[in-house]
Structures are given as C-alpha cells and as structure tokens.
Amino acid sequence: MDLSVHGRIRDRLRLAAWRSRFVVAAVCCGLAAWTTVDAVRPAPPVTREVLVTARALDGGQPLGADDVTTVRVDAGLAPGALLDGAADVAGSTAAVDLPAGTPLSPALLRRGGPAAAAPPGSVVVAVRLTESDWLRPGDRVDLVATDDDGARLARRAEVLPPPDEGAGAGDEADAGLLGSATGGAADPVTLLAVSPQEAAAVSAASGWGAVAPVLVP
C-alpha cells in the first residue's frame, strides 16, 4: 500500500479521536461517578423479626398461635424487649386491650395465675360486687361499701382475668363474666388487685356486705 494512503488513514483516525474526545471524557466521568456512588452507598439496614398481634385482643384474653404474627422491622427501631417467637406467648394473656399490629413485649403479657397477673406491690382479693358484668380485665375501679357508711375501701383496684382452670361451658355460665362461682350464679366473685393496706377492709366488706365498683380512668 502506498505510504500516502497510510498517512491519510492515520490522519483520519487522529481527527476522529480528536472529535470524540468530549464523548470519551464524559464516559470516563460517568464511570468514575458510578464507582464513587457505589462505594459510599450505605449497607442495607439490619432488620429483625418481632411478634405483633394479628388481630385486636381484649385485656385478659388468652393468646394463641393464631393471635400473633411476625413482621420484619429495622433493628434500630425495635427495643430489645420485644418478643420474636410465637413460643414466647404460650400460656400468656393480654394485660390490656391490644390493637391489631401491636408489637409484643413481656410488659404487655401476663403469665401464670392471678398472683402473677397482679401489678407489683399489690395483692389479689376475691370480691363480691353489686355489679360486675360490665367490667373487663385491666379496668381500674374504686371500691365503695354499699352500707350507710359508704366508705371508700380501695382506690384504683385493677380487675384481673379469672383463673383458667379448664372449666367447661356450663361452669362458665354459672361463674359469670369475670368471677368464679363459689355458691352458684347468684354468688359470683371478681378478682381484684389492691394494695396490701386495703386488702383487709375489702375482704371484710365483701364477706358481710356488698361492695360497689366505680370505674375510674
């Protein structure tokens, strides 16, 4: 091939390279930017599974496997006290009303018998109330004697769930909503958590007379 032809080809290549210098520079800048962004991109957030209520639950309601589900949340937003396994709720009851989707922690659940359900520093008494059908576990009530004195026996007593002793449907009908029957349907009792100082007066009034509950915030 003639040397002049080689020269013309070389000149054309140089001209093409010169004209495309801005395109090449832009491509290089784009690659550099992409590499930099990828290098400083934060790592995916660490998540953990937590246990939440699958449906709204009433205070005092026993929890079963169908009542809870797990969701994955940012670990930084999940307190360490949250439960993460369905086995953690076995034998538990809801301490208060729980809306659907509530993250569960030990403070929201109660285990064991009535004593375990009572708040720290309180004692459990079984009280015959003038009315109890409208009360629910977790309610707070003042207890007032219904005699002429009308003394206030306890303040902000907490209504506790009835003990689950495997009673059948007929037994539950005799016991009423919150109490267990000691002498038939006309003689129900309600479990209440009161202070140790109030327990004696409440028990005495319940034994010889009637006690009225007054719902308080």
Side-chain angles (χ1 to χ4, degrees):
M1 183 180 293
D2 194 305
L3 292 177
S4 61
V5 175
H6 281 291
R8 286 196 298 272
I9 294 174
R10 185 171 58 250
D11 291 342
R12 289 177 180 174
L13 291 175
R14 287 177 178 174
L15 180 59
W18 175 255
R19 290 177 174 174
S20 63
R21 67 189 186 280
F22 296 110
V23 176
V24 174
V27 171
C28 291
C29 289
L31 289 173
W34 180 84
T35 303
T36 301
V37 170
D38 188 63
V40 299
R41 181 181 299 160
V46 178
T47 61
R48 61 171 288 196
E49 284 191 345
V50 298
L51 208 63
V52 301
T53 53
R55 59 180 62 85
L57 303 174
D58 295 329
Q61 178 177 338
L63 271 68
D66 294 338
D67 297 319
V68 297
T69 186
T70 55
V71 298
R72 188 165 288 278
V73 299
D74 189 325
L77 302 177
L82 292 180
L83 303 179
D84 54 13
D88 294 333
V89 304
S92 299
T93 59
V96 294
D97 290 349
L98 300 175
T102 302
L104 293 177
S105 68
L108 298 178
L109 304 177
R110 288 180 175 159
R111 303 174 184 273
S122 65
V123 295
V124 179
V125 293
V127 185
R128 294 180 178 86
L129 298 175
T130 55
E131 298 179 60
S132 63
D133 290 345
W134 51 274
L135 294 176
R136 296 186 302 170
D139 285 346
R140 293 281 184 167
V141 295
D142 287 352
L143 300 179
V144 180
T146 58
D147 58 13
D148 294 337
D149 184 22
R152 191 178 299 272
L153 305 171
R155 295 182 181 274
R156 293 187 56 78
E158 181 175 347
V159 180
L160 301 179
D164 182 7
E165 298 179 353
D171 296 331
E172 292 175 356
D174 288 342
L177 178 63
L178 287 172
S180 58
T182 58
D187 193 26
V189 296
T190 300
L191 298 181
L192 295 160
V194 301
S195 72
Q197 296 77 17
E198 297 167 334
V202 172
S203 295
S206 178
W208 53 257
V211 178
V214 178
L215 190 65
V216 295

